[in-house]
Amino acid sequence: MKRLVPAILALGAASAAAAAADLPYRKAAPPFVPPPPPPALLFQGLYAGVQGGFLGFADRSRDYLAVNNALLFTSKTGHGGSFQGGAHVGYDWRFGSFVGGLVADVTGARAVNDVYDPLGQYSVRNVLGVSGSLRGRVGVVAFDRLLVYATGGLNVADVRHEYRSVFGLRANKNSVLGSPTVGVGAEYAISDRWSGRIEYRVTGLGTPRETTPVAWGLKTAHQAGSGAITAGVSYRFGN
């Protein structure tokens, strides 16, 4: 009997050890490590890049009698557009999720529209060429890498009015127009250096009343504007 009790205890210990060996191994879960913060250069500092897209151009030409410069005589509207492309440079300051900055760009285009005098006296071809702007922009960073922003400032554009009369007279008038421009956009940081953007902007391009060079006794006021949607890429400089 004295020998039987130790034998039973030894057998029970061996059985418990075997059962424990059959249990699945459970490793302790690693501690939670938060993802690293986005690089410090995102939407901060100096950048430069290129952009391109489509430019729509509309012009409403209104004729006034030159004798009093007030009585509206005729009105007509033309629509046109073209591809545009150019380059930009800017600087951003970031304050938490908010971004403020300045951007300048230059763009080349040849947007054309034609308008015709309702009485058949003459036609005008309006041509929008090179333009440039200096703008501010403010925005909010969403999801760490997406900047949604609004922009606005001064646009300077070269606009030419090409007058043609039914009698074969021709005359061109060139204007360098300074006017406001506003828009909205979104920019995504592909990396800490490269980003891509999409932007839509509208610009006023009206001119003062000018003597209609091929139709005696008339002055023409051009109430024009453009709308452009562009896509671009930027490289951000820094340490």
Side-chain angles (χ1 to χ4, degrees), residues 222-238:
H222 294 271
Q223 298 177 321
S226 67
I229 183 167
T230 57
V233 294
S234 303
Y235 179 81
R236 197 168 296 269
F237 303 92

Side-chain angles (χ1 to χ4, degrees), residues 203-228:
T203 304
L205 297 168
T207 61
R209 296 179 189 179
E210 58 189 23
T211 300
T212 308
V214 296
W216 181 84
L218 295 180
K219 285 190 175 182
T220 304
H222 294 271
Q223 298 177 321
S226 67

Side-chain angles (χ1 to χ4, degrees), residues 81-93:
S82 76
F83 172 81
Q84 68 168 8
H88 60 266
V89 61
Y91 196 96
D92 284 332
W93 294 269

Side-chain angles (χ1 to χ4, degrees), residues 59-64 74 76 113-117 121-127 159-175 207-216 218-223:
D59 185 291
R60 175 180 295 174
S61 298
R62 294 184 171 183
D63 290 331
Y64 297 82
T74 63
K76 58 275 186 187
N113 63 61
D114 293 283
V115 294
Y116 300 91
D117 173 48
Q121 300 181 76
Y122 69 94
S123 64
V124 187
R125 169 161 287 186
N126 305 293
V127 183
V159 178
R160 184 171 73 255
H161 305 303
E162 301 175 353
Y163 291 86
R164 305 289 185 269
S165 80
V166 294
F167 304 106
L169 298 176
R170 296 189 175 191
N172 296 339
K173 289 201 171 186
N174 286 76
S175 301
T207 61
R209 296 179 189 179
E210 58 189 23
T211 300
T212 308
V214 296
W216 181 84
L218 295 180
K219 285 190 175 182
T220 304
H222 294 271
Q223 298 177 321

Side-chain angles (χ1 to χ4, degrees), residues 69-159:
N69 199 26
L71 181 63
L72 179 63
F73 191 60
T74 63
S75 178
K76 58 275 186 187
T77 303
H79 300 273
S82 76
F83 172 81
Q84 68 168 8
H88 60 266
V89 61
Y91 196 96
D92 284 332
W93 294 269
R94 182 167 177 175
F95 309 94
S97 296
F98 297 94
V99 173
L102 292 172
V103 58
D105 64 41
V106 60
T107 301
R110 182 176 168 77
V112 176
N113 63 61
D114 293 283
V115 294
Y116 300 91
D117 173 48
L119 301 180
Q121 300 181 76
Y122 69 94
S123 64
V124 187
R125 169 161 287 186
N126 305 293
V127 183
L128 173 59
V130 177
S131 63
S133 71
L134 177 62
R135 298 172 279 121
R137 72 171 188 168
V138 293
V140 178
V141 179
F143 310 110
D144 293 331
R145 290 183 174 271
L146 179 65
L147 172 66
V148 181
Y149 63 89
T151 183
L154 175 67
N155 187 81
V156 178
D158 173 43
V159 178

